[in-house]
Amino acid sequence: MPELSPRRRMLVLAICCMSLLIVSLDNTVLNVALPSMQRDLHATTSGLQWTIDAYTLVLASLLMLAGSTADRIGRKRVFMAGLVVFTIGSVLCSLAPSLSLLVVFRMVQAIGGSMLNPVAMSIITNTFTDARERARAIGVWGAVVGISMALGPLVGGLLVQSVSWRAIFWINLPIGLAALLLTLRFVPESRAPKGRRPDPVGQVLVIALFGALTYGIIQAPDSGLASVAPYFVIAVAALGALLWYEPRRDEPLIDLRFFRSAPFSGATVIAISAFAALGGFLFMSTLYLQNVRGLDALHAGLWMLPMAAPTFLCAPLSGRLVGTRGPRLPLLIAGTAMTVSGLMFALFEAETSDSTLFIGYVLFGIGFGFVNAPITNTAVSGMPRAQAGVAAAVASTSRQLGQTLGVAVIGAVLAAGIGSSSYRGTFVDAARPGWWILTVCGLAVLTLGLLTSGRWARRTAEHAAERLETAEIRQAVGATSRS
């Protein structure tokens, strides 16, 4: 990629952030619309889970493929294709006549979304080559998540209240089209010096692992453990096959050598934990505010602002801290805030009081606002730039997998606790195990943030990067000698 002027670099960052905005906004807007969808499409709790998890599951399954494909054939080309598919999927979702077709069209959206975030992060990584400048850019990137969380509940509530839940998908159209035209005009093409070959076997195994695991968790409360046990067996078998098959390939879909870096491994598990907490938090909160408290979509969206505003304010601060002091402090703040928030709901039933509900939301927003920048920066900064797309895709996959598991596990726990009873009478007790799960996720962020951000961890990252670069040189020499 040619060296760009500072103004052009900021324009590229803005265009990439537009893609993140529509993907993130889509998720936060959708959560506010869930009760309206439930009434209109006669959906069960598991049906609502699938409207979220069908999207995040496909996204998680294809992100690494999209990242490696973009490194091989061109990041701008794949990014533009993603914008087109995502926009078309949004139109189809707004027209869906049934829950089953809505789930299918959400999967179409996800195919496009898989070509956006990891590819955009790869473009940013290759545009901002200075470490501090890159950290600030990633802080801006994280702030966009906060913007989507701040705008999503309000915009979603307003659209659901004044039009219908179908209108929430319309907002993707102007942003998607604008991003497409700006990308065509201003984003330069770039690719890795040596493209990675496709790994169809690894891709099928990833889909089998994520799909079987998610299906088993979501359907367990309705079908029983005996009925879904085969899906868990498939998931375990797919995981074992991945661990056996991938190290034997020269260019695997998932390069397990990345995980020799303690910061990279820690960032992966932290991303899964933090986004599992986010997925479960949003799922339970929107059902509580509308189905238990009886708020309409707009007022439920307003109640989400105490969580969304701190996320928006803390994300750029986190990016600056990562650039000046490293990832440890933001991760410790994030883990502490998320843990205390979960404990407030689990121990003190924070949702039963306006003041404790407000404090619980603020604490979770602070925690989530600080967690994004260190995850992204740690995942991509220690890796060779030629593999930036793959490294960013693993980080993005971890986020989506975490959100998928959070909605699946916490939704299943909630559904099992409520059973055939009404939400109003049983929600607080049924949700308590879910809040404990969120507390454990916060503790995981805190503990791993402490363990994987010290000197020992940095040395493992340096050794892993050296091994990866050495392996790339050997492959290049071998390919030259064979030709």
Side-chain angles (χ1 to χ4, degrees):
M1 177 183 286
E3 185 69 26
L4 303 179
S5 66
R7 181 176 295 181
R8 182 75 174 273
R9 289 200 297 272
M10 295 307 298
L11 182 57
V12 170
L13 174 62
I15 295 168
C16 290
C17 286
M18 290 174 72
S19 73
L20 177 63
L21 179 63
I22 58 175
V23 173
S24 301
L25 197 64
D26 194 71
N27 274 333
T28 53
V29 168
L30 180 68
N31 272 278
V32 176
L34 288 178
S36 179
M37 290 179 178
Q38 188 176 34
R39 291 188 297 270
D40 193 22
L41 301 177
H42 310 290
T44 62
T45 300
S46 62
L48 295 180
Q49 288 172 268
W50 279 118
T51 62
I52 299 173
D53 273 358
Y55 177 85
T56 55
L57 180 60
V58 172
L59 204 61
S61 299
L62 299 181
L63 282 170
M64 285 178 285
L65 174 64
S68 60
T69 301
D71 283 347
R72 184 173 65 253
I73 70 173
R75 297 174 182 120
K76 176 178 179 179
R77 182 180 302 175
V78 172
F79 187 68
M80 291 179 64
L83 287 170
V84 171
V85 175
F86 188 88
T87 304
I88 291 173
S90 299
V91 174
L92 293 174
C93 286
S94 71
L95 302 174
S98 65
L99 180 67
S100 58
L101 282 176
L102 176 61
V103 169
V104 171
F105 295 150
R106 287 281 289 163
M107 294 170 76
V108 174
Q109 260 192 318
I111 294 172
S114 70
M115 299 182 238
L116 296 180
N117 286 4
V119 181
M121 179 50 61
S122 182
I123 292 172
I124 290 172
T125 302
N126 283 272
T127 299
F128 295 88
T129 55
D130 178 74
R132 290 194 175 187
E133 197 176 44
R134 184 194 302 127
R136 294 190 190 99
I138 291 173
V140 174
W141 173 268
V144 173
V145 177
I147 292 172
S148 71
M149 292 184 68
L151 289 179
L154 287 176
V155 173
L158 185 62
L159 289 174
V160 171
Q161 196 71 17
S162 59
V163 187
S164 80
W165 62 264
R166 299 179 185 279
I168 66 174
F169 297 104
W170 298 346
I171 57 178
N172 296 331
L173 307 186
I175 301 175
L177 290 173
L180 180 64
L181 294 175
L182 289 171
T183 302
L184 183 64
R185 174 67 178 85
F186 294 108
V187 175
E189 184 60 279
S190 66
R191 54 177 59 87
K194 181 180 181 297
R196 299 166 64 85
R197 289 178 296 176
D199 181 9
V201 174
Q203 184 62 62
V204 170
L205 289 173
V206 167
I207 293 173
L209 170 60
F210 292 171
L213 180 62
T214 305
Y215 184 87
I217 293 171
I218 290 179
Q219 296 302 129
D222 294 333
S223 304
L225 287 175
S227 298
V228 299
Y231 294 96
F232 293 119
V233 173
I234 292 172
V236 172
L239 176 60
L242 271 172
L243 295 177
W244 177 84
Y245 176 77
E246 291 297 284
R248 287 165 171 76
R249 280 184 56 87
D250 291 336
E251 296 179 0
L253 178 70
I254 305 174
D255 197 330
L256 299 181
R257 291 173 297 184
F258 284 0
F259 294 95
R260 293 174 181 171
S261 163
F264 183 89
S265 298
T268 301
V269 181
I270 288 169
I272 292 173
S273 301
F275 278 77
L278 175 68
F281 192 96
L282 292 175
F283 189 78
M284 288 197 294
S285 292
T286 191
L287 292 178
Y288 169 74
L289 291 171
Q290 295 187 57
N291 287 353
V292 179
R293 286 206 167 192
L295 301 179
D296 57 39
L298 179 58
H299 286 87
L302 289 170
W303 251 111
M304 300 296 284
L305 277 178
M307 180 191 69
T311 299
F312 169 65
L313 295 173
C314 293
L317 174 60
S318 177
R320 286 195 292 271
L321 284 174
V322 171
T324 57
R325 301 187 58 179
R328 171 171 283 192
L329 181 59
L331 288 175
L332 295 183
I333 295 172
T336 301
M338 294 174 75
T339 301
V340 175
S341 174
L343 285 173
M344 287 191 65
F345 286 94
L347 288 178
F348 305 112
E349 298 182 356
E351 66 266 47
T352 59
S353 164
D354 285 351
S355 58
T356 52
L357 182 66
F358 179 87
I359 295 171
Y361 278 10
V362 168
L363 285 171
F364 189 88
I366 291 172
F368 191 75
F370 272 98
V371 82
N372 246 319
I375 289 172
T376 305
N377 189 73
T378 303
V380 301
S381 62
M383 297 297 151
R385 287 177 60 193
Q387 297 197 36
V390 180
V394 173
S396 296
T397 298
S398 302
R399 289 182 173 90
Q400 299 304 325
L401 177 61
Q403 193 162 351
T404 301
L405 293 177
V407 173
V409 173
I410 293 174
V413 168
L414 184 64
I418 291 176
S420 58
S421 305
S422 67
Y423 275 87
R424 288 179 183 272
T426 59
F427 184 92
V428 173
D429 290 334
R432 188 172 293 111
W435 295 120
W436 277 115
I437 293 171
L438 263 65
T439 303
V440 171
C441 290
L443 280 172
V445 173
L446 176 61
T447 304
L448 290 170
L450 182 64
L451 293 176
T452 63
S453 58
R455 293 181 180 177
W456 164 80
R458 287 194 293 271
R459 285 198 298 269
T460 65
E462 292 168 0
H463 293 158
E466 289 172 1
R467 289 169 181 165
L468 286 167
E469 289 174 347
T470 301
E472 287 180 3
I473 293 171
R474 287 175 180 171
Q475 288 178 10
V477 171
T480 302
S481 62
R482 286 193 297 270
S483 62

